[in-house]
């Protein structure tokens, strides 16, 4: 028997490989799909079917390439949309996998045609529930993707799905959702409890305490951020993303070559926040290595080649993150990193760096620096606000540039320094010259003159 | 948060790495313990404690080396025995691991001082149960290790453990036992359902249907085979096994060198059954590569160096299996495999090979070959007997050699050919000259004159 | 500075990656070309050119795919043929690679338009000679590829190339040929001296002792075996082989599926000779794992899918060998190996096995078995003949089947047992029923009644 | 036949594995010696002897551990010193390795008892010369290790070695020295020509143009820097370094733990120069990842535990570099890197950063900043001097601190920024507060007011 959860960090995406008797099924494959073929083949399994839980909006699905390479059949959920490949899965349809059986369960709410799949053990007992984006560990799927006008309708459907279709399967059923903590597909509070069951969710998932349909709708029908790249993912997933056949291998570029191409592309600098600030290529966009999966879709344009700056010659993880969200056009990387650029005598830009401690000290001395706080509303509510700071969530920054003064030093604040550096690089791209990143962020905040202002009480439910 | 199940095939041993907030705990580590250090370190965790569920009898525990290399504290269960290292864990004792908490739960039955560990999530809810050898997927731990005289007592304790201590934790709790299907530590029917919960066990585990204490005792208090190496494991685990510091790397030996050393060691031939039969080194013991973990402890003497014959130069998995059960003295391997032996003109022995089809054909023609069936009693009961065959389970063969005729061709039968080849090699070691392995075994049996005789009805409970 | 020799075993093919100052050149790339891109990129080099020494006849060149994936320019030798891609390299043309310079040197003999490339160090001194198939360690390139009628002409050109163009470069120059020992592109005696120089060759290469042109021609103008797949390689290399984009990953097949497909494909069994003989799928062709690269082109048809039988689920090396010679159509592999086939009760065939010792014993007893010796003429000359044996080199066997008696046991002999097993499988494919492989071959020969008959004296030159 | 050159970057150390007929010999093994065992074993070779060319001063030799783990005999050169293990190799002694033969050649100069080893091919022809630290590609071994008083004597011996013992072997012999470009064991100008022959050296090695003994002595008898760790290496290599049994795996430490231990250890920060400057732990020593092998022995004390700061959790290469020079006491690494330190609100220090461009601009404006140039004398001579700069080679900095003003901003200059950052961190360790690194260094220098002053003419010989 084969059961593997394949985790794609950054997107916090979980896909699954389930097999028995030499046949295997993949649920919600990612685009760089060699891992499923390799894992299955090495253990003697052949992939015969690919099951999708919904039309994904946050990454490119690997079904088409996986189908072409293995001969597996592809079964789509959300058949109300016009898929150009594969076949629609029907509620109640089932697939034999050796002695096991997978059964499709229509589970609308996140999308209208969302399907979950119940894995039955050879005795017919429900064993696992592949719940896609309907139910997560500690959270439920967001219901705002059909538009704010349909949020209550979708929330009602989700209530029905969870209380009438999922929970009756029994507390002992192992829950296998499509995402873990950090994903943008939940209500914002997916738990780090990385393995869970329906019983644990019944006890610990805040949303599952709203037995009453109208209360559930009231609590979960909320709008969330919608990254601009979602639309492209939705479109390409219906068409079928272009096959990758292995990862792209962008060429090393000398400083001269890199400089020549930089004018017609986007320079993406994935170095750490301390590395970026003192010296970077003019107009470079900073997204730290671990944040590429999450923020590329917000800030990178699709129509320009991407030129990478890093401190290593091995960009595999960065490239995986990029192609998973459709950024296939990677023009090269700066060979030898920034040091080679500097030794070649090319021009660099810098931004300021200040530790939270120093900034707090300045505040306590009575100074009044301009602080741009790029954290989310939720963080402001739960962690606390810096009084006097201007708040613009990092993802909204490009739309609110006109609200930022041009003639002052801008001190950018987040919880750590990672998003601040993204923000600082965006401001610099648009011409701001005096930009400083606050290292350590609110995590290290310690001003007595200007302490974090916490909300009066904890919000009752942080689930959605 | 860190949760990894480390699986050691062959022994079907599961150990676990659980971490939060940069600290990690290992439960029941195996002897080749680099994997825990590497996995934890790479993700930024430090191993601070090792928890044992019981004095293991079927493999060498890695606690001592892991403790020495990481500084982790070692906590033993079964403190009634005189451990030379580490400290005894007490019922109810708990360990903080970041925001998580592990709590020891005295759970006797398999051994008197067996401990399980309940992992509580940050809210205090029971999340996972590390049940050691008390409760498995589809089976319970064997209760005969304290001797047949105490089996009923131990079974009663196990009933108490399962019904009064485990099940009240709730159906949603994820069950993390120390073994999967194929282990010798269960009652013989651990399920291939590789991930499970208390709820699933309540529904699917045959032993958990015996709510009534006396019925549970009646059904589970059974004696099982006890491999001769158990005693050595028990002793060494209490003393603390010698540190490995990486795997041994036995040297390649030329045919001449190999031959010279073979006289003072055991030749262990791990090639496939078809390879072994036509040409092997005289006195070689055959144990196919995948069976080494399971059968070495039955047939390999500890006091002699082991000399390996295989078709590959990479013996890593074989060596891991050997050291996990204390066979550290590996003298070398035959460089270039059997082909080099043959080209050097050294003498070889052979055994016969016959496919099930051919043998069945001979039976159907009226011949009466001597068939030695080395399958277990259970297989005879569930799969069926070959009438007229002499039955000696493979593990009992060395004790029953006097029952095998010396003057006839011995046709050795198992379900496939793997154990038959072990059996054939043992017979040849002791001087039998006319030995034939039945390829395909009972899986391919098709005699009409001599069909497999199935028992009248399925046994009601195959659990123990 | 970057210098890597990439070795492809089996074909004994050497390709080279040479770089300086972030640019790199590949000489004679193999078809599975990821290794050049990965090696160069990891060290910060970009592949800017691919240089070919000649139109290869023994493997598919990777230039086209490498050019497409890196943007490198492709430079062909042998421009008298009509290449569909790339550009012709001219004698004397040179390429700057950082501070290094490569210069083309017309070096006919093996082919008419063969080019070698001299690498000059920054001072302009000749440093390395990439000699393609003109000069090897201990041997020269074969000159019979243009047909026997032109052998003397080509040998004369080769004499000119070696004595007038190569040797004047100086003894200290490092020689980098396209093949090592075992290749079919030399005169048959490429030396295992794996690194060499022009000075060492002048001293040790037998062919280089024939200073006199006519003597050189007399000694080297000899015809060698020409595998049937050469023609296909020559044609595809001029057209440009189809891009691979990663290795094919054939699916695991159950015994039933495998059996269904076997009828319309070629079963290729790569197990060892001892494994193959006692039990194999009817009509299976045996080519041991390490011999696939060398013998596939002789015995595998191109128009049928290949179905693999092995003892491992990892066939990477076998698949690499197959695609390097254009066998891209691999239909699957038998999951679980022969054991699964046997357990499923499917029919098997067997051939006999006898050790050299036993056979010699039979000969010494006066028996007169039929011995088919499949070694080459050269081996007969240098190692010795078995009197009375029928000699047919393994590669010629399909053309000489009518010379083999059908009504006797055929004992197949080679030096070890590897080629004998190929031969035995071919005889069985064509209906011979009583075929036996001699394990250990002539390496283990020890008959007194029938000793190996050595030629009276060593041949003066074994070079070609 | 087996020939592998094992390269250890940083130290630019080359060791060799040479085998034939299943036996292999290692020449000058490094301390982390698994690579020899793994490489040999995988190809079916057993290591039977370890040959040392001299008592190494720049790294710990792996002979003792390799001998203990494989049973190989150890043969020392420099037997005038009192080795506690192994046996002395004698001039002319030879070792059979399959059909090959290695012969010891007394080759004093670098050390008094230095041995080289000539590899003879089966015909007896000299094929390769393992020349240790006597002769390198483009350079000769330094002769000052016995003290300046004996330099001329040693240079005379080296002349004898090279001209009377090496060159007569013939131009075609492949030269296999113990170091490549970057090593401190040559005269300072080992060539990047990574593969070479005696013929190429005769033509290209400047030292080999001094046929005349007295001229050779005059040119090569020069004193070079002697890192403080040499003495420890020399002592331990005679005693036998402690066995490693695998690499140490230092534990991840939280910021709090790291801070606690930092007081009693050395914080070694291996991040890039741009990362280090803006934020580092007080008293941290900066040595960029790629420079660890080269500079640890100069600046790290042996008696304190080392605490690592990096941006990755994988420190394997750093740890290898450290243990190769005897820094075994690695106390841990900062888990989560500097970001975790900053988020915890711990105090950081910073140094300034200025690009060469900016500094040159300031110079051209007439400013007079204090410039500390940490390049070597040779670089000053060949690349040029910055007028007015204070020159102290980086390795001499700790001895010349009193020459650096405390009350000015110190702008540290090297060729790139790497050594400047080391220098800046040392100054900060000793209390300097206003320290700035010049990014891009002299490679990017462009001042018109203060151009690099080149020496009037190129020095005639840069070899030693």
């Amino acid at each position: 028997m084969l059961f593997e959860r394949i985790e794609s960090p950054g997107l916090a995406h979980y896909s699954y490989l389930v097999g028995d008797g030499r046949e295997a099924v993949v649920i919600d494959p990612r685009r760089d799909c060699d891992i499923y073929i390799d894992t299955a083949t090495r253990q003697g399994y052949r992939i015969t079917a690919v099951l999708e839980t919904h039309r994904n909006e946050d990454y490119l699905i690997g079904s088409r390439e996986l189908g072409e390479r293995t001969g597996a059949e592809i079964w789509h959920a959300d058949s109300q949309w016009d898929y150009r490949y594969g076949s629609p899965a029907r509620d109640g349809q089932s697939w034999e996998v050796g002695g096991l059986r997978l059964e499709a369960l229509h589970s609308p709410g996140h999308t209208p045609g969302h399907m979950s799949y119940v894995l039955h053990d050879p005795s017919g007992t429900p064993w696992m529930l592949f719940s896609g984006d309907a139910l997560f560990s500690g959270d439920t799927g967001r219901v705002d993707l059909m538009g704010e006008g349909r949020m209550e309708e979708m929330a009602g459907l989700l209530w029905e799905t969870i209380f009438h279709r999922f929970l009756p399967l029994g507390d002992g059923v192992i829950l296998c959702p499509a995402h873990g903590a950090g994903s943008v597909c939940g209500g914002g509070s997916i738990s780090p409890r990385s393995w869970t069951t329906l019983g644990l969710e019944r006890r610990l998932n805040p949303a599952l305490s709203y037995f009453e349909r109208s209360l559930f709708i009231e609590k979960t029908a909320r709008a969330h951020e919608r990254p601009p790249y979602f639309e492209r993912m939705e479109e390409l997933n219906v068409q079928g993303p272009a096959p990758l056949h292995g990862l792209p291998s962008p060429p090393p570029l000398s400083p001269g070559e890199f400089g020549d191409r930089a004018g017609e592309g986007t320079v993406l600098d994935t170095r750490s926040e301390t590395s970026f600030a003192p010296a970077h290529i003019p107009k470079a966009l900073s997204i730290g290595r671990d944040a590429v999966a999450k923020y590329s879709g917000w800030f990178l344009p699709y129509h320009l080649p991407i030129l990478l700056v890093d401190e290593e010659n091995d960009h595999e993880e960065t490239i995986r993150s990029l192609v998973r969200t459709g950024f296939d056009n990677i023009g090269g990387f700066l060979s030898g990193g920034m040091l080679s650029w500097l030794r070649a005598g090319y021009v660099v830009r810098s931004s300021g760096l200040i530790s939270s401690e120093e900034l707090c000290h300045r505040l306590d001395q009575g100074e009044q620096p301009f602080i741009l706080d790029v954290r989310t509303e939720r963080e402001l509510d739960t962690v606390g606000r810096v009084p006097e700071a201007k708040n613009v969530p990092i993802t909204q920054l490009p739309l609110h540039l006109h609200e930022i003064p041009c003639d002052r030093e801008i001190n950018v604040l987040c919880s750590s320094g990672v998003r601040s550096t993204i923000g600082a690089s965006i401001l610099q791209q648009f011409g701001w010259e005096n930009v400083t990143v606050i290292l350590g962020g609110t995590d290290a905040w310690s001003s007595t003159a200007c302490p974090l202002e916490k909300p009066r009480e904890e919000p009752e439910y942080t689930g959605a």
Side-chain angles (χ1 to χ4, degrees), chain A residues 6 8 11 13 15 26 28-37 56 58-67 69 232-233 236-237 240-248 302 319-330:
Chain A
I6 312 294
S8 306
L11 298 169
H13 170 230
S15 52
V26 179
D28 286 336
R30 69 188 192 198
R31 192 179 179 204
D32 43 330
C33 64
D34 303 71
I35 194 167
Y36 309 105
I37 300 175
N56 280 275
D58 61 324
Y59 67 91
L60 293 181
I61 193 95
S63 310
R64 188 178 145 197
E65 180 167 347
L66 194 50
R69 289 173 57 186
R232 189 180 179 93
M233 297 299 100
L236 288 173
N237 280 336
L244 277 181
H245 291 302
L247 286 188
Y302 274 102
I319 291 167
R320 282 192 189 275
S321 293
L322 290 172
V323 298
R324 282 174 192 157
T325 44
F327 293 99
D328 297 9
N329 184 2
I330 308 173

Side-chain angles (χ1 to χ4, degrees), chain A residues 304-351:
Chain A
L304 295 178
I306 295 165
L307 295 157
L308 295 173
V309 177
D310 202 342
E311 278 160 17
E312 308 278 325
N313 280 350
D314 177 1
H315 310 292
E316 183 179 321
E317 281 311 312
T318 297
I319 291 167
R320 282 192 189 275
S321 293
L322 290 172
V323 298
R324 282 174 192 157
T325 44
F327 293 99
D328 297 9
N329 184 2
I330 308 173
F333 68 90
L334 179 59
S335 178
M338 274 310 289
L339 192 60
S340 73
W341 182 269
L342 286 157
R343 295 173 74 169
Y346 287 94
V347 67
V348 293
R349 292 279 172 275
S350 65
S351 43

